Structure formats: structure tokens, C-alpha cells
Amino acid sequence: MSKLIYIVEDDSDIRDAFIEIVSELNGFDVAIAENGRIGIDKLKSMDRLPNLILLDVLMPIMDGFGFRQEQLADARLADIPIVVLSASHNITDLAHKMKARAYLKKPINIEDLMEAIESYAL
């Protein structure tokens, strides 16, 4: 069974590109959510938990921080690693505050994306 990569990202173009790169070209299973609220609700209801979450920071309804707080508060979900996605100039600080395994600065380099998945997906 392929590893499951969960993409929580509000930009539909980025989500679509990630689906193509991660799933269609590299064979990983993918689940998606368009904001943190939908993302955490879906995550809590998943039977098969993801091996890695690619998490945008700035999203409507619930941002990446809110998502991560709820994830860490749930013992079943807390150990799923995240890679933070952001165009912010202080992405290093954001990733540290969110206890992320790594971060990717937008626009995302495809090689860096695949390296992060290979390195951090449990």
C-alpha cells in the first residue's frame, strides 16, 4: 500500500499541482482539504491516517496554526508529521512554532517537495 499524503492547502491550483506530482507522477495516495477546519474534521474521521501532512499556514476559516493545535491535542493524530508550506519570509520561525518536521517556501520546488515526502512520511 502506498503512503498517504494529506494536503491541507486553500489554493486550488497548488492542490491540483500537488495531486499531479505526488499521486499521478510518484504513486503516493493523496487526500486533500481546502482549509484548516475542513482539514482537521476530515483528519479526525479518517480510518487510515496519513503518513505526512503538507500544511499551508495562511488559509481562510482556520489557518495552519489552528489545525496544528487541534492535531497536537488529539493523541491519535499528534504524531503525524507535518511539513509547513508558506510564502512568508519568516517561514523558519513559523515551522519551529508549529513543531513541523520541515518547511517548504512557496513557490514550491518539486524536487524539494519530493525530498520532504521521502524524508518525513512515516
Side-chain angles (χ1 to χ4, degrees), residues 4-19:
L4 176 61
I5 309 302
Y6 191 30
I7 301 164
V8 183
E9 165 65 60
D10 65 315
D11 186 307
S12 62
D13 292 335
I14 293 174
R15 280 195 317 269
D16 291 346
F18 280 9
I19 290 168

Side-chain angles (χ1 to χ4, degrees), residues 78-116:
D79 289 335
I80 302 168
I82 68 163
V83 172
V84 171
L85 313 172
S86 179
S88 174
H89 66 281
N90 64 341
I91 189 171
T92 306
D93 293 336
L94 294 173
H96 178 74
K97 288 176 186 173
M98 295 172 74
K99 299 178 182 170
R101 294 282 171 92
Y103 62 86
L104 296 172
K105 187 155 178 65
K106 292 180 179 179
I108 307 292
N109 175 292
I110 294 171
E111 290 174 10
D112 292 342
L113 172 66
M114 294 314 302
E115 183 178 312

Side-chain angles (χ1 to χ4, degrees), residues 2 6 10 17-19 21 25-26 29 44 52 57 60 62 67-68 74-75 83 86-87 106 108 111 119:
S2 291
Y6 191 30
D10 65 315
F18 280 9
I19 290 168
I21 294 163
L25 298 178
N26 289 286
D29 293 334
K44 288 179 178 181
L52 179 68
V57 176
M62 178 189 276
F67 175 99
R68 185 66 168 153
D74 187 322
V83 172
S86 179
K106 292 180 179 179
I108 307 292
E111 290 174 10
S119 297

